[in-house]
Amino acid sequence: MAPGRPRPAHAAGGERFPSDDTIRNFFLRFSQAHVEAFWRPLWRWLVRLVQCPTGGFALDLDSTVFCREGQQEGARKGFNPKCKGRHSHHPLLAEAPFILHGWLRSGNTGAARGVVPFLQEALTLLPEGTWLRTVRADSGFFDGAFLDFLEERALPYVVVARLTTTLKRKCAGIQNGTALDEHHDAGEFIVKLFGWSKERRFVVVRERMRESKAAVGRKLLDVPGYTFRVWVTNRSQDAVTLWRDYNGRACVEPRIEELKHDLAADGFCLQPFYATESAFLAVLFTFNLLSLYQHQTTPTAAYRQPGTLRVAVFLCGAVLGMMGREVVLKLSAAWGGLGKHKPLVAAALDWLKCPSPKLVPPEDRLAIGGGLI
């Protein structure tokens, strides 16, 4: 490098940027204790930046499948609708609407496996003054022990019921349902299922099958021409309110697809399980930061996916050139020009002065090649 010429620096202010191997070796240092010590304080700091709505958050639980190649730790054969017989991991997520908590699990675990300790951890991440107006989940979480836990914590919930023989018989026996419109009617009943500690309320929405629209729900042999959707709940609202509230959970699946396709959440896999889990948490943390960035810079604008943000905001073709005797950075016109992005830059610089917590390395971290930091 010529004398007097400034040393190149990346956007974060450092003189060097880590290579792929450096990042991979960083994650390889993580153990379960490191995951807890490193990520949980950062998560608590991040969640405190999210303003709780007046009505409270709706916490949505869901799981997904990450297909794996090779013999990585925790990769097992399990439920895999797209690639049957392949090894996979089975992550568990809690969204509200940011991602509150995430676990990476073995591929042979069921959706509700470990959901009670998972939710216990998730609730400890919520700052004081934040409250949940409801917990929503699909039929994979239709489990008596899970519902017992929610009721012990006085958490309102609405969970899709798995149609057992008893529930099918109860649904077919509903005679005087309440008409919601010309195609839908609703009913409810109270029943205690086998193995449960108490009886619970079930809400049923029945939809007439028609050629013009695909009906959502399950068919029953005893009631031809209709499909049924059934939820178990401890909430007192009517069926229409619960039905519409649960439909708000429809954004969970698109968020998971964004994690996979825009941020490659399922593409970074290492041999040690906790190294892979730490990389997975890094993706979730990045997703939350992008959501906060949007809310801070353009609070009234429509939500934009991470891939859209990357192209429209963060990626810009540029060359270093001269204008007269001045060294200038020439930005691509396809980016929209600096004028378009000045409000975003100004809003980002004017954000709340909330530095991330200073992480004190645990004693066991010092023994791993100099530590994580």
Side-chain angles (χ1 to χ4, degrees):
M1 183 174 291
R5 187 173 180 179
R7 185 182 297 273
H10 63 78
E15 296 183 353
R16 295 182 299 171
F17 194 81
S19 66
D20 294 346
D21 288 338
T22 303
I23 296 174
R24 186 180 300 109
N25 291 334
F26 171 76
F27 286 123
L28 285 172
R29 298 178 180 181
F30 276 83
S31 65
Q32 183 176 12
H34 294 145
V35 170
E36 296 297 323
F38 186 88
W39 287 112
R40 302 313 174 209
L42 281 176
W43 233 269
R44 292 188 180 92
W45 163 77
L46 184 66
V47 172
R48 286 199 298 268
L49 302 180
V50 181
Q51 185 177 1
C52 182
T54 305
F57 288 116
L59 184 66
D60 297 318
L61 300 177
D62 204 358
S63 60
T64 187
V65 175
F66 288 172
C67 293
R68 301 302 190 196
E69 300 285 352
Q71 301 295 326
Q72 295 88 0
E73 287 184 359
R76 299 288 186 272
K77 293 181 180 179
F79 175 72
N80 194 335
K82 293 184 178 180
C83 302
K84 296 181 180 180
R86 286 265 299 276
H87 285 192
S88 63
H89 283 129
H90 193 187
L92 179 60
L93 297 171
E95 302 184 31
F98 56 94
I99 299 176
L100 176 62
H101 196 29
W103 269 8
L104 190 68
R105 303 178 299 175
S106 297
N108 58 354
T109 57
R113 177 75 175 272
V115 67
V116 170
F118 171 81
L119 192 54
Q120 287 174 328
E121 287 188 8
L123 295 176
T124 62
L125 298 174
L126 289 173
E128 186 177 354
T130 302
W131 64 287
L132 301 178
R133 66 172 184 83
T134 190
V135 176
R136 303 180 296 201
D138 60 24
S139 60
F141 300 90
F142 184 64
D143 179 77
F146 174 54
L147 301 182
D148 287 338
F149 170 77
L150 295 176
E151 291 165 354
E152 290 171 2
R153 293 294 187 98
L155 290 172
Y157 64 82
V158 53
V159 177
V160 176
R162 190 179 301 114
L163 287 184
T164 64
T165 302
T166 300
L167 293 182
K168 289 179 181 179
R169 185 171 60 250
K170 287 286 186 179
C171 291
I174 295 177
Q175 298 295 331
N176 299 317
T178 303
L180 306 180
D181 55 40
E182 60 176 321
H183 301 296
H184 299 83
D185 58 73
E188 62 179 81
F189 54 84
I190 296 176
V191 67
K192 177 182 177 181
L193 296 182
F194 178 77
W196 283 18
S197 61
K198 58 186 294 187
E199 60 183 17
R200 293 185 170 94
R201 179 190 180 205
F202 288 82
V203 174
V204 182
V205 172
R206 186 174 68 172
E207 181 178 359
R208 187 189 306 275
M209 298 174 64
R210 52 196 188 277
E211 294 182 359
S212 59
K213 180 182 179 297
V216 179
R218 292 282 302 278
K219 300 177 183 179
L220 298 185
L221 294 177
D222 296 335
V223 190
Y226 289 89
T227 60
F228 290 79
R229 300 183 69 187
V230 187
W231 298 271
V232 58
T233 182
N234 62 346
R235 294 167 55 178
S236 59
Q237 292 100 326
D238 59 87
V240 177
T241 302
L242 295 172
W243 176 31
R244 290 174 177 170
D245 187 22
Y246 184 83
N247 287 341
R249 188 180 172 274
C251 64
V252 174
E253 290 296 335
R255 294 294 175 269
I256 292 178
E257 293 304 313
E258 289 172 18
L259 289 171
K260 291 182 178 180
H261 300 311
D262 292 3
L263 297 176
D266 58 342
F268 196 104
C269 185
L270 298 167
Q271 174 61 31
F273 177 83
Y274 291 107
T276 305
E277 182 179 42
S278 187
F280 170 63
L281 293 176
V283 173
L284 301 186
F285 192 79
T286 302
F287 180 88
N288 284 345
L289 285 177
L290 291 174
S291 298
L292 282 171
Y293 169 81
Q294 289 192 70
H295 179 73
Q296 174 64 24
T297 56
T298 53
T300 59
Y303 172 80
R304 289 185 289 179
Q305 298 177 356
T308 303
L309 279 179
R310 179 170 57 246
V311 175
V313 178
F314 298 116
L315 286 184
C316 173
V319 294
L320 197 64
M322 300 292 294
M323 182 174 289
R325 296 186 179 182
E326 298 290 333
V327 178
V328 297
L329 185 66
K330 300 178 180 180
L331 304 178
S332 169
W335 190 52
L338 184 59
K340 172 184 175 182
H341 294 83
K342 276 184 177 179
L344 298 176
V345 175
L349 294 176
D350 193 39
W351 202 8
L352 299 173
K353 306 300 181 183
C354 297
S356 61
K358 301 300 182 291
L359 300 175
V360 179
E363 294 181 1
D364 62 340
R365 194 177 303 186
L366 301 177
I368 308 181
L372 292 173
I373 298 179

